[in-house]
Amino acid sequence: MKHPILIDTDPGPDDALAILLALSARDALDVVGITTVAGNVPVAQTTLNALRICELAGDLDVPVYAGCDRPILRPLHTAEFICGKDGLAGMKLADASRAPAAPHAVNAMIDHLRQSDVPLRLCALGPLTNIALALRMAPDIAAKIDRLIIMGGARDLGNITAAAEFNFFVDPHAAAIVFDSAIPITLFPLNATYQAVASTERLGDLDGTAPVQAQVLSMLRRNRAGGAALGGDKGHPMHDPCVIAYLLWPDLFEGRDCHVAIETAEGPTVGRSTIDWWGRSQEPPNAHVIGALDADQMFARVAVSLRSLDHRHESDSKAKS
């Protein structure tokens, strides 16, 4: 049975790979929509990027909805210094041939959840602004969310400040709303995702002559100032693809139930996620937090999935000729 999923994202290089992985897994995942949010770059660009990534995958049926252009209470912080001016530095993608769908992403999220015959899984790859506002506007949708899989937070050090991971730093108030929602959550913090480094060895199964794989390789092999610093010097960490890989291959991941609290007060620790890994607070768990993963197997399986997208390209080209 296919799992219906909704992807909330701010593409972003690792978001791009996550979306491609989801679209490649048609037998396992039904991507009912993609909602975009401001984060890595402003929302107009993240929306354009989501449309371009869908076109690269050869999938024009998945609706893309433009979402919030700023956090709930803070000014927007973006990350062009990591991902480039257009958010997808290293990829040479054609302009999108279609416009984003109506309505606004928050309304679209509410509509998809209310109208679905089965609970949906939400994949959160960027700041949680859209999801938090949807929960505030329509509290009933919480019952229609089977699980929320989030890339965000840090059990140890941050990557945008000493204390905070980027997604939670951009909109800590949204993160606090989500973790207070009682929705089942699986969390991928930095200590897990920095294990998923795209090293030369792990990229060895990708074919640089195939359209989709070539774009991915171009993106992952480019020099990126500070991009790999926290994960060592072997390559860029692929944070967001872990979320989709978890849906496809849960056997590759290990974690434990923890209480997670988000710092919303302005100051040097704003956006920090306090992950009670050892249960010291006695607070009830509100997330299943991933702590370890088999990165070698994950990248090997990602390569197989991406090859299926290139096979689809070949089939479409033959059909048109």
Side-chain angles (χ1 to χ4, degrees):
M1 177 181 176
K2 286 187 179 183
H3 294 300
I5 68 169
L6 186 66
I7 299 175
D8 189 65
T9 182
D10 62 336
D14 47 333
D15 306 71
L17 181 54
I19 294 169
L20 290 171
L21 180 58
L23 295 177
S24 74
R26 286 182 172 180
D27 292 341
L29 302 177
D30 177 17
V31 183
V32 301
I34 296 173
T35 54
T36 63
V37 66
N40 282 316
V41 287
V43 72
Q45 189 65 49
T46 64
T47 305
L48 175 60
N49 289 349
L51 290 165
R52 294 159 75 204
I53 294 160
C54 287
E55 296 214 9
L56 175 62
D59 202 324
L60 301 180
D61 296 327
V62 175
V64 174
Y65 306 95
C68 294
D69 63 356
R70 68 195 71 181
I72 294 173
L73 292 175
R74 306 183 74 224
L76 175 63
H77 295 265
T78 55
E80 288 91 346
F81 69 100
I82 291 288
C83 58
K85 185 177 180 180
D86 75 343
L88 296 176
M91 300 183 86
K92 305 294 184 184
L93 300 182
D95 291 338
S97 63
R98 58 179 174 137
H104 187 280
V106 172
N107 300 99
M109 190 177 292
I110 293 169
D111 291 345
H112 275 290
L113 287 163
R114 283 178 170 169
Q115 294 168 13
S116 178
D117 294 332
V118 296
L120 296 178
R121 294 181 179 180
L122 263 60
C123 300
L125 311 182
L128 296 171
T129 315
N130 288 336
I131 297 171
L133 290 179
L135 289 169
R136 280 290 189 257
M137 289 172 60
D140 59 288
I141 64 173
K144 298 297 293 288
I145 300 172
D146 176 61
R147 180 161 290 271
L148 176 54
I149 305 97
I150 299 171
M151 189 281 124
R155 202 180 77 194
D156 306 307
L157 302 176
N159 65 345
I160 189 67
T161 69
E165 176 274 332
F166 177 77
N167 287 340
F168 288 4
F169 173 79
V170 170
D171 201 339
H173 302 90
I177 289 169
V178 168
F179 279 91
D180 264 350
S181 68
I183 295 169
I185 291 172
T186 296
L187 178 66
F188 278 87
L190 292 178
N191 58 286
T193 62
Y194 269 114
Q195 298 171 44
V197 173
S199 64
T200 300
E201 294 78 14
R202 290 172 179 163
L203 297 178
D205 289 335
L206 294 179
D207 179 1
T209 67
V212 176
Q213 294 169 79
Q215 292 283 7
V216 170
L217 284 170
S218 177
M219 174 180 67
L220 296 185
R221 285 175 173 167
R222 76 177 179 89
N223 291 326
R224 190 168 72 176
L230 295 180
D233 59 0
K234 294 184 178 180
H236 304 307
M238 287 292 98
H239 308 288
D240 296 326
C242 292
V243 169
I244 305 301
Y246 176 79
L247 292 177
L248 296 172
W249 314 299
D251 58 299
L252 301 183
F253 303 91
E254 296 178 4
R256 63 177 67 172
D257 295 340
C258 302
H259 185 267
V260 179
I262 311 298
E263 178 60 71
T264 58
E266 291 296 333
T269 61
V270 66
R272 177 177 179 173
S273 52
T274 299
I275 298 173
D276 189 9
W277 189 252
W278 301 109
R280 299 294 190 232
S281 69
Q282 305 300 311
E283 293 288 339
N286 58 358
H288 182 70
V289 180
I290 301 300
L293 57 94
D294 186 339
D296 290 338
Q297 268 299 311
M298 177 180 138
F299 276 92
R301 296 182 190 186
V302 167
V304 172
S305 281
L306 292 182
R307 284 199 289 273
S308 73
L309 284 180
D310 280 314
H311 292 327
R312 199 183 303 167
H313 269 273
E314 291 176 13
S315 298
D316 290 345
S317 297
K318 290 178 180 177
K320 292 175 182 177
S321 61

